[in-house]
Amino acid sequence: NRIKIVLLGGLLNDTNEYGRKVIETALQLNQESGQEIFEVFPVNFVDESVYRDRIAQTSVILNLLNMDQYKYGKFCSGMAECIAYRLPGIYPASYDILEELDNASLKYTGPDDLAGLIEKLLNNREVLDTLNANAKENALAFSMENYKQYFLDFMKNSLS
């Protein structure tokens, strides 16, 4: 019944109050629960081999997008990781995720709401199991096999 959430990388800069508040809340949840639910890396860069190892231990990917500073469209790297590793994701409520990932995603409005979502996952394993099953199914929709004919048709039409 253990849940593991890894926060890879550290604060982007010394003035990142949003990130600091989320990390403080995560560490507070660790203390209150008596478990290491969150593993927080205190560095800005995590080596790729360490990253893969930590993702393999993760139950859900927490996407800490500060929407005041995130202005780059609809697809974040965390969403790509949810697809690649077939894991559910947690996103800010104001972030538009791909429709195909809706049933494997939770949304939060701030650090306190995020804490409530994590407590929900801790207290109701069925919620996490459902999110995980949906994430595995959703990831298949993005497989190369499913896109093969699309790419072949695109190339054929582009070259003719």
Side-chain angles (χ1 to χ4, degrees), residues 52-66:
R52 288 181 186 160
D53 179 60
R54 294 307 189 258
I55 290 289
Q57 300 173 35
T58 299
S59 306
V60 61
I61 294 179
L62 174 57
N63 294 280
L64 293 177
L65 303 172
N66 181 348

Side-chain angles (χ1 to χ4, degrees), residues 79-99:
M79 205 180 310
E81 301 297 16
C82 287
I83 295 166
Y85 290 94
R86 299 178 177 194
L87 290 167
I90 301 175
Y91 305 89
S94 58
Y95 189 72
D96 291 327
I97 61 171
L98 296 174
E99 185 178 314

Side-chain angles (χ1 to χ4, degrees), residues 19-160:
R20 190 178 330 284
K21 176 68 173 165
V22 170
I23 289 172
E24 286 173 8
T25 302
L27 294 175
Q28 182 180 351
L29 272 172
N30 281 353
Q31 187 175 20
E32 290 174 4
S33 70
Q35 302 176 48
E36 188 181 29
I37 300 162
F38 293 92
E39 180 177 351
V40 179
F41 280 64
V43 296
N44 289 328
F45 175 78
V46 176
D47 184 74
E48 184 68 23
S49 64
V50 174
Y51 180 84
R52 288 181 186 160
D53 179 60
R54 294 307 189 258
I55 290 289
Q57 300 173 35
T58 299
S59 306
V60 61
I61 294 179
L62 174 57
N63 294 280
L64 293 177
L65 303 172
N66 181 348
M67 297 312 294
D68 293 337
Q69 297 176 9
Y70 195 86
K71 310 285 185 207
Y72 301 110
K74 189 170 181 161
F75 200 81
C76 67
S77 61
M79 205 180 310
E81 301 297 16
C82 287
I83 295 166
Y85 290 94
R86 299 178 177 194
L87 290 167
I90 301 175
Y91 305 89
S94 58
Y95 189 72
D96 291 327
I97 61 171
L98 296 174
E99 185 178 314
E100 295 89 345
L101 302 181
D102 273 343
N103 66 352
S105 303
L106 299 173
K107 292 198 166 192
Y108 64 94
T109 57
D112 294 332
D113 189 36
L114 175 58
L117 287 177
I118 301 305
E119 288 177 299
K120 178 180 177 179
L121 294 174
L122 285 170
N123 294 326
N124 189 344
R125 184 60 192 211
E126 289 179 23
V127 172
L128 184 58
D129 290 344
T130 299
L131 291 170
N132 273 305
N134 291 341
K136 286 175 180 32
E137 186 175 319
N138 294 346
L140 294 175
F142 292 93
S143 71
M144 186 55 81
E145 190 61 35
N146 284 340
Y147 279 96
K148 184 169 96 176
Q149 191 60 49
Y150 170 82
F151 288 126
L152 289 173
D153 291 342
F154 177 79
M155 292 302 292
K156 182 179 175 182
N157 292 332
S158 296
L159 297 174
S160 50

